[in-house]
Amino acid sequence: MDEAPAGLLLIRRIQTEIASVPRGQTCSYGVIATRAGAPGRARMVGKVLREAPAELGLPWHRIARADGRLAFPPESEAWREQCRRLRNEGVELRQGRVAERYRARTEDIDALLWWP
């Protein structure tokens, strides 16, 4: 049986972590990277999202920067679409940022186990 290359396995783990972010919650690129076993690789999470086939149906809109800002330029079409999708899920946005209570963290093991 052939084994998938390590890079492909990491991509799959990142995709799995993205897919696990529940409706009405968000997660940062860095938290996704850490949960996928690649701490410090937040940019790779963005790359995986950009290159993921649409058929995977990854909830890209639930991924934001660590400070809650959306990654797209404010008022761009992608930014507006992300805002629309998050609001439809009940996520509160304040001045283009996800409100604190809708963000996942890695510091608290209880939050990781019982989140949201």
Side-chain angles (χ1 to χ4, degrees), residues 38-60:
R41 305 286 305 270
R43 288 179 187 238
M44 184 172 185
V45 174
K47 183 178 188 314
V48 169
L49 274 172
R50 280 190 306 279
E51 296 176 358
E55 302 83 55
L56 288 180
L58 294 177
W60 61 268

Side-chain angles (χ1 to χ4, degrees), residues 52-68:
E55 302 83 55
L56 288 180
L58 294 177
W60 61 268
H61 60 285
R62 296 179 189 151
I63 312 304
R65 293 179 179 175
D67 65 1

Side-chain angles (χ1 to χ4, degrees), residues 11-48:
I11 289 168
R12 288 181 181 156
R13 286 196 311 263
I14 289 170
Q15 290 171 339
T16 299
E17 290 301 327
I18 292 167
S20 75
V21 178
R23 179 178 176 79
Q25 294 291 314
T26 66
C27 203
S28 74
Y29 295 90
V31 169
I32 293 290
T34 299
R35 289 181 180 180
R41 305 286 305 270
R43 288 179 187 238
M44 184 172 185
V45 174
K47 183 178 188 314
V48 169

Side-chain angles (χ1 to χ4, degrees), residues 55-109:
E55 302 83 55
L56 288 180
L58 294 177
W60 61 268
H61 60 285
R62 296 179 189 151
I63 312 304
R65 293 179 179 175
D67 65 1
R69 287 183 299 145
L70 307 183
F72 301 105
E75 302 305 325
S76 67
E77 185 58 38
W79 186 88
R80 285 192 294 274
E81 179 63 17
Q82 188 171 15
C83 287
R84 184 188 67 75
R85 288 178 183 224
L86 289 172
R87 285 184 179 122
N88 283 345
E89 293 185 1
V91 174
E92 183 181 346
L93 300 170
R94 296 180 184 153
Q95 298 176 337
R97 290 180 192 246
V98 175
E100 184 73 29
R101 70 176 182 239
Y102 299 97
R103 299 185 220 165
R105 290 166 204 74
T106 57
E107 301 86 19
D108 180 356
I109 192 66

